Amino acid sequence: MSEEKTVIVVDTGFVSDDWDCGFRDLDTTPANDCPQGIDLPSDTAPTALNGLTNAAMIRIDFPAPTDGRGFTLAAQLRRLGFKGRLRARGHVLADQYAMARRSGFDEVEIPADLAARQPEDQWLARADWKAHDYQARMRG
């Protein structure tokens, strides 16, 4: 994904990106003291996640709305003990926001053109992701 204008989505709506340390590929070594985030493609092998639990930020790519491998990677990172910021990046739809949050993502980064097609109110309609999961309904 090129460095185009993007929008960050959190439970309160659209916000400015406050991450200023940049991102690096998993296989590159940081060149400065800033705790750079790590970019993971959706086809990252689950075994490659070991050792990432101390990263400050991990951003997982979603190349298409039909590619759900990023949800699996996020859940696996959280099971491994990752406590940092976890961001989904790319073609995540408003309808997928609750799944992203339940998988362990803290936020979603979408292209500005997607934000124009799916405005903030569509994302806010899914922001109460804890209350509407099937497990909560089954518990009564």
Side-chain angles (χ1 to χ4, degrees):
M1 186 179 218
S2 64
E3 291 303 317
E4 60 190 41
K5 185 166 173 48
T6 59
V7 173
I8 305 299
V9 183
V10 297
D11 290 349
T12 57
F14 291 174
V15 298
S16 298
D17 190 354
D18 64 354
W19 183 258
D20 58 3
C21 291
F23 294 89
R24 64 180 178 88
D25 292 333
L26 180 61
D27 58 353
T28 60
T29 304
N32 58 32
D33 294 332
C34 190
Q36 288 183 310
I38 299 170
D39 271 332
L40 295 180
S42 62
D43 63 353
T44 299
T47 55
L49 303 179
N50 297 328
L52 296 180
T53 57
N54 292 324
M57 162 85 92
I58 295 176
R59 183 170 67 173
I60 299 174
D61 191 42
F62 280 76
T66 56
D67 187 343
R69 293 175 292 179
F71 298 124
T72 303
L73 292 172
Q76 181 66 27
L77 279 164
R78 294 300 187 194
R79 281 192 295 273
L80 289 170
F82 178 70
K83 303 278 189 238
R85 278 172 76 176
L86 193 53
R87 179 184 288 182
R89 174 189 187 210
H91 298 284
V92 179
L93 304 177
D95 286 345
Q96 296 171 311
Y97 183 72
M99 173 64 80
R101 293 291 283 131
R102 286 189 201 109
S103 297
F105 286 105
D106 299 300
E107 56 200 43
V108 176
E109 177 183 341
I110 58 172
D113 64 332
L114 178 58
R117 289 191 314 272
Q118 294 192 330
E120 185 177 46
D121 64 319
Q122 292 185 24
W123 294 85
L124 287 171
R126 282 105 177 146
D128 192 10
W129 55 275
K130 291 180 185 177
H132 301 292
D133 70 326
Y134 79 94
Q135 291 176 347
R137 286 194 307 272
M138 295 302 288
R139 284 189 222 98

